[in-house]
Each structure stands twice: as C-alpha cells, then as structure tokens.
Amino acid sequence: MSMEPTMTPSRPYLLRAFFDWLLDNDLTPHLVVNVNIPHVQVPLQFAQDGQIVLNIAPRAVMQFHMDNDAISFSARFGGVSQQVYIPMAAIMAIHARENGVGTLFPPEPAYDLWLEQADEEQVQPDPEPPRPTGRPSLTVIK
C-alpha cells in the first residue's frame, strides 16, 4: 500500500505555464489533441491519424477558457465558426508553430480513471421510453 498522497494531475498547470511562456515570447501556441477521447468536440474533418493540431493563439480564437478540466473556445475552420471543447485528458502536447518548442504530456493516473468513467458513460445507452400499447387516438376538445 502506497502512502503517497493523491495528487491532482499536473497537465493543466504545465499547459497554462507553457501557453503563457509561448505567448510571452511572441510565439504561436498549438495544441495536439487526441480526437478519440470521449467528450472531445473538434472539427473532425481536419483530424489526421486520430489527432488534430489547433492554433490557440488569442488572435485565432474567441471565448477562450482554460481550467483544470478542459479547454473551450470558438474558432473558424474553413470559414465556419465552430465551438471547440477539449478535456485535459485529450491534450497530448503544446508547441510553438514557429520553432516546435514545447512539451509532450505523459499519461497520468488521474486521467486513466477519468477515461474509464467516461467509457462507462458512453457504453450505457439511455433506455428507450416504453411504447404505448393499443391504437393511437385523437380527441376533439372544444
């Protein structure tokens, strides 16, 4: 039995730090996202090999929000504005477009547990409502 305290994932903290650092150095931050993770909402037509690279520079996105659980924003893809939602578990890396400087994020146990729970949510379909029996009927109300 391990006596280590349960720690929160480091990914959101490291991501914020790299994001700020890249912007402070006048670089363009790009995210590498695994599109196969549950709850990811990105324009899949731009994904390749299960990944998508997204420009998250302030001039490229609107309504940008980053917290410990996810990143969300709206951006234009092919001239069409779309809402993007990326759970932290789906973020694989952040790097600068100009020179590739950045970091890959290692797997974290907290995200393994989150993925297991998200998979269970997707596997259990909502039960269908019971179908009415008998013939349908209409009633005239005056």
Side-chain angles (χ1 to χ4, degrees), residues 32-36 44-53 92:
V32 180
V33 177
N34 180 345
V35 299
N36 298 315
L44 294 176
Q45 66 269 29
F46 297 102
Q48 293 181 338
D49 301 322
Q51 298 179 1
I52 189 168
V53 178
M92 301 170 65

Side-chain angles (χ1 to χ4, degrees), residues 50-83:
Q51 298 179 1
I52 189 168
V53 178
L54 300 170
N55 177 352
I56 59 168
R59 66 185 171 276
V61 299
M62 293 177 30
Q63 302 168 341
F64 184 82
H65 178 76
M66 182 180 349
D67 61 25
N68 289 350
D69 298 321
I71 292 178
S72 63
F73 57 87
S74 65
R76 296 183 78 72
F77 297 90
V80 178
S81 182
Q82 295 189 34
Q83 190 63 31

Side-chain angles (χ1 to χ4, degrees), residues 4 10 90:
E4 293 180 23
S10 61

Side-chain angles (χ1 to χ4, degrees), residues 22 28-32 53 93-103:
L22 292 172
T28 308
H30 282 199
L31 285 182
V32 180
V53 178
I94 184 171
H95 66 271
R97 179 185 65 202
E98 294 82 0
N99 59 15
V101 171
T103 191

Side-chain angles (χ1 to χ4, degrees), residues 1-42:
M1 178 184 246
S2 175
M3 297 304 282
E4 293 180 23
T6 303
M7 297 182 68
T8 59
S10 61
R11 187 171 305 172
Y13 302 95
L14 295 173
L15 181 62
R16 276 192 291 274
F18 271 93
F19 177 75
D20 289 342
W21 178 65
L22 292 172
L23 292 178
D24 287 350
N25 284 281
D26 296 321
L27 297 171
T28 308
H30 282 199
L31 285 182
V32 180
V33 177
N34 180 345
V35 299
N36 298 315
I37 298 294
H39 308 296
V40 170
Q41 295 174 2
V42 296

Side-chain angles (χ1 to χ4, degrees), residues 37-40 85 87 112-127:
I37 298 294
H39 308 296
V40 170
Y85 181 83
D112 293 339
L113 178 61
W114 181 87
L115 287 170
E116 287 175 21
Q117 292 170 345
D119 285 342
E120 288 173 9
E121 288 174 10
Q122 287 188 338
V123 170
Q124 299 172 357
D126 293 334

